Amino acid sequence: MPSFDIVSRADIQEIDNACTNTRKEIEQQRFDFRGAKWSVDLDKKEKTITLSAEEGGKLEALKETLTKHAIRRKVNTKFLDFGDANLAGGGMNKRVVKIKDGLEQEIAKDIVKRIKAMGLKVQGSIQGEEVRVTSKHRDDLQTVIQNLNASEIPVALQYVNMKSD
């Protein structure tokens, strides 16, 4: 029976490249950051990026530059969850960016609910951090992909392991 899996996997290496490119641009091209304290730190284990700067305006510029480089590296910005700016020690402003990786249970349930609402002869089942979709007809699976891409889901979706018997 034809099937595929719906997943949400962030490419940490591409996010690391976006952080590196952000640092390079700030160091080499942004004269408004000369002599200012700032940092862009990626924690791969915790899956977070910490942006810090002396002023709120500079913190916002770091956010915009990181977003721009993520888009250039073909990283969907739905993977980046920008937290609120907070005052940190030493007069620094700090913003933690969480990297969304994997489907949360409630989002997976919402995807299965949307699939059932389509009225097709397809079956969606949650398996850990992914949703497996099966059907007797490959065309129904293509319709599910098109409908999910057109819907407003708060995470980036990828479709993997397409199998047809």
Side-chain angles (χ1 to χ4, degrees):
M1 194 178 308
S3 68
F4 69 89
D5 295 332
I6 302 171
V7 298
S8 181
R9 295 184 189 141
D11 188 347
I12 299 295
Q13 185 58 50
E14 287 299 328
I15 292 172
D16 186 22
N17 291 340
C19 290
T20 301
N21 292 342
T22 299
R23 283 187 219 100
K24 283 182 183 178
E25 179 178 330
I26 298 295
E27 288 171 356
Q28 297 171 0
Q29 299 174 4
R30 295 291 299 262
F31 297 108
D32 55 332
F33 278 85
R34 298 270 186 221
K37 292 181 182 178
W38 61 272
S39 69
V40 177
D41 300 315
L42 171 66
D43 185 349
K44 291 182 180 180
K45 288 184 180 180
E46 295 289 324
K47 294 185 180 177
T48 60
I49 303 168
T50 305
L51 306 175
S52 58
E54 291 178 320
E55 303 168 15
K58 286 186 175 33
L59 189 64
E60 191 63 30
L62 281 174
K63 174 187 171 189
E64 290 171 10
T65 306
L66 176 64
T67 303
K68 175 178 73 174
H69 285 288
I71 292 169
R72 282 185 186 167
R73 302 295 308 183
K74 308 239 183 310
V75 173
N76 193 324
T77 55
K78 288 183 178 181
F79 285 121
L80 304 177
D81 183 19
F82 289 91
D84 294 332
N86 298 319
L87 215 56
M92 298 288 283
N93 291 303
K94 181 174 150 183
R95 171 175 274 152
V96 176
V97 183
K98 293 180 184 172
I99 300 169
K100 297 181 193 175
D101 195 29
L103 287 177
E104 295 175 5
Q105 200 68 18
E106 70 179 52
I107 293 173
K109 287 179 182 177
D110 181 45
I111 291 171
V112 170
K113 188 171 139 185
R114 288 172 191 250
I115 291 170
K116 287 181 181 178
M118 291 176 198
L120 301 170
K121 291 186 178 179
V122 295
Q123 182 68 34
S125 62
I126 300 170
Q127 297 181 346
E129 289 189 343
E130 55 188 49
V131 176
R132 167 127 334 131
V133 182
T134 57
S135 174
K136 290 183 179 180
H137 304 288
R138 188 179 173 105
D139 293 341
D140 289 344
L141 296 178
Q142 295 293 337
T143 304
V144 168
I145 291 173
Q146 290 172 355
N147 286 340
L148 288 176
N149 283 339
S151 63
E152 298 276 331
I153 296 178
V155 296
L157 299 178
Q158 291 112 5
Y159 309 98
V160 297
N161 298 335
M162 179 69 93
K163 298 175 187 168
S164 58
D165 295 339

